[in-house]
C-alpha cells in the first residue's frame, strides 16, 4: 500500500504522449486519427517534453486513464472536469478522482455530500477513487489532461480541449442513450458539441454550478440540491439502461482489454 506521508511522487508524467496513445484501445485511437488532431497531439507532446526539460513536474502519470477504463460504446454518463489536480500523488487521469490514500478534495467532498442527500448516508465513507464509476459506464474526462505541479490550469488552452472535445464527440456517435453532467461554465461550454455532432442516440443534458465550495451553493443552479445523480439514473433506466450505482463501494472488474 502506498504511504500517504511518503515524499515520493508516484504520479508524474514520463515518456511521450504518442507512446501512451499506442497503448489505447483501437476505438479511442481511431477517434484521434484525423490529421489536425494528430498535429495537436504532436504539439502537446513537444510542449510536455520542453516543460519536463525545463524542470517542470507534470501530472498525471497516465493522461488517458479515463479511456483505458471504458470503451466508447459502454459510456452511459459523461462527467466533464477542467484539469487534473496539481498536487503530488493526487491526479489519476479520472476527473474529480484521487487515490484512496489522499485526503478528499473539496469538490469531491461536495459530490459525496450531494450523493448522501439524494441516496442517504452510505454504510461506510465513500472511497476517493472513482474507478468504480468509470467501470460502470461513467466517462470522467477533464478538458485538459495534464497540469504542472502547483499550477492549476497551466496546460489549459494549449490544445487539449481539441482532443477531449473529439473524444466526447466520439461518444456522441454511439447510439446508446447517455447523460452529460455539465457542472460549471467550463463544462457547460461542451454543450455546443451537440450542435457540431448530431448525437446518434438520445442524450440528456443536466447542468449545475461546479461542485467547488466557491460555487456549489450559489445561484443560479446550486450544485448542492441539484439531484443530478438520481435524475441521471432515472432517465437512463427509462431508456432501458442500467444507470450507475453511485453508492457502490468497490470497483467492478474491468472489461476484457480494459482497466489496470
Amino acid at each position: 500500500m502506498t504511504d500517504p506521508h511518503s515524499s515520493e511522487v508516484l504520479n508524474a508524467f514520463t515518456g511521450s504522449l504518442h507512446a501512451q496513445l499506442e497503448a489505447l484501445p483501437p476505438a479511442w485511437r481511431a477517434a484521434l486519427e484525423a490529421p489536425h488532431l494528430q498535429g495537436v497531439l504532436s504539439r502537446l507532446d513537444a510542449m510536455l517534453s520542453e516543460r519536463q526539460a525545463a524542470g517542470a513536474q507534470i501530472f498525471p502519470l497516465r493522461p488517458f486513464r479515463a479511456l483505458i477504463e471504458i470503451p466508447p460504446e459502454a459510456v452511459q454518463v459523461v462527467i466533464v472536469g477542467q484539469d487534473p489536480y496539481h498536487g503530488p500523488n493526487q491526479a489519476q487521469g479520472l476527473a474529480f478522482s484521487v487515490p484512496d490514500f489522499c485526503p478528499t478534495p473539496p469538490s469531491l467532498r461536495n459530490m459525496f455530500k450531494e450523493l448522501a442527500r439524494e441516496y442517504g448516508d452510505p454504510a461506510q465513507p465513500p472511497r476517493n477513487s472513482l474507478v468504480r464509476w468509470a467501470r460502470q459506464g461513467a466517462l470522467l474526462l477533464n478538458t485538459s489532461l495534464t497540469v504542472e505541479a502547483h499550477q492549476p490550469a497551466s496546460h489549459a488552452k494549449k490544445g487539449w480541449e481539441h482532443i477531449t472535445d473529439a473524444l466526447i464527440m466520439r461518444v456522441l456517435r454511439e447510439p446508446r442513450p447517455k447523460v452529460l453532467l455539465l457542472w460549471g461554465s467550463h463544462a457547460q461550454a461542451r454543450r455546443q458539441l451537440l450542435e457540431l455532432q448530431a448525437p446518434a442516440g438520445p442524450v440528456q443534458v443536466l447542468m449545475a454550478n461546479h461542485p467547488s465550495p466557491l460555487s456549489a451553493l450559489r445561484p443560479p443552479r446550486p450544485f448542492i440540491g441539484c439531484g443530478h445523480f438520481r435524475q441521471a439514473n432515472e432517465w437512463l433506466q427509462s431508456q432501458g439502461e442500467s444507470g450507475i450505482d453511485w453508492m457502490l463501494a468497490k470497483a467492478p472488474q474491468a472489461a476484457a482489454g480494459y482497466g489496470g
Side-chain angles (χ1 to χ4, degrees), residues 6 14 17 48 83 106 132 157 165 168 174 220 226 231 245:
S6 172
T14 59
L17 281 182
L48 294 175
D83 63 342
R132 64 189 181 280
K157 300 182 180 178
D165 281 358
I168 295 171
E174 291 291 334
C226 68
Q231 287 178 48
D245 183 350

Side-chain angles (χ1 to χ4, degrees), residues 10 16 22 27 45 56 59 69 76 81 84 92 94 122 126 134 138 159 162-163 170-171 174 207-208 213 219 229 253:
L10 302 175
S16 72
E22 288 302 313
D45 218 358
F59 305 130
E69 293 296 345
Q76 298 184 71
Q92 295 179 295
L94 300 170
H162 298 289
I163 302 304
R170 172 64 183 84
V171 171
E174 291 291 334
M207 298 194 297
F229 296 104
Q253 185 175 357

Side-chain angles (χ1 to χ4, degrees), residues 62-128:
R62 293 184 287 174
F64 298 110
R65 172 73 183 277
L67 311 182
I68 295 172
E69 293 296 345
I70 182 172
E73 65 271 16
V75 174
Q76 298 184 71
V77 176
V78 180
I79 297 180
V80 180
Q82 295 189 26
D83 63 342
Y85 296 113
H86 53 85
N89 294 327
Q90 291 183 305
Q92 295 179 295
L94 300 170
F96 295 106
S97 178
V98 297
D100 291 330
F101 63 78
C102 284
T104 309
S107 292
L108 184 57
R109 189 179 305 118
N110 276 337
M111 290 164 66
F112 291 156
K113 184 183 296 185
E114 174 58 22
L115 275 168
R117 195 196 67 81
E118 295 182 35
Y119 288 99
D121 290 326
Q124 57 189 23
R127 299 175 64 178
N128 289 339

Side-chain angles (χ1 to χ4, degrees), residues 5 30 79 84 87 89 101 108 137 140 142 152 167 183 218 232 235 255:
H5 303 294
I79 297 180
N89 294 327
F101 63 78
L108 184 57
L140 305 172
N142 285 311
L167 295 172
W183 301 327
R218 296 176 61 183
W235 184 84

Side-chain angles (χ1 to χ4, degrees), residues 178-238:
K178 56 193 63 69
V179 177
L180 302 185
L181 295 181
L182 305 180
W183 301 327
S185 58
H186 187 86
Q188 289 163 16
R190 269 55 245 171
R191 188 174 186 178
Q192 67 182 347
L193 297 176
L194 295 170
E195 301 171 7
L196 299 174
Q197 172 73 60
V203 175
Q204 175 83 326
V205 179
L206 299 176
M207 298 194 297
N209 288 357
H210 194 276
S212 162
L214 295 174
S215 58
L217 292 170
R218 296 176 61 183
R221 296 186 178 102
F223 175 80
I224 300 298
C226 68
H228 281 181
F229 296 104
R230 186 177 288 277
Q231 287 178 48
N233 272 350
E234 288 176 350
W235 184 84
L236 285 166
Q237 290 160 6
S238 76

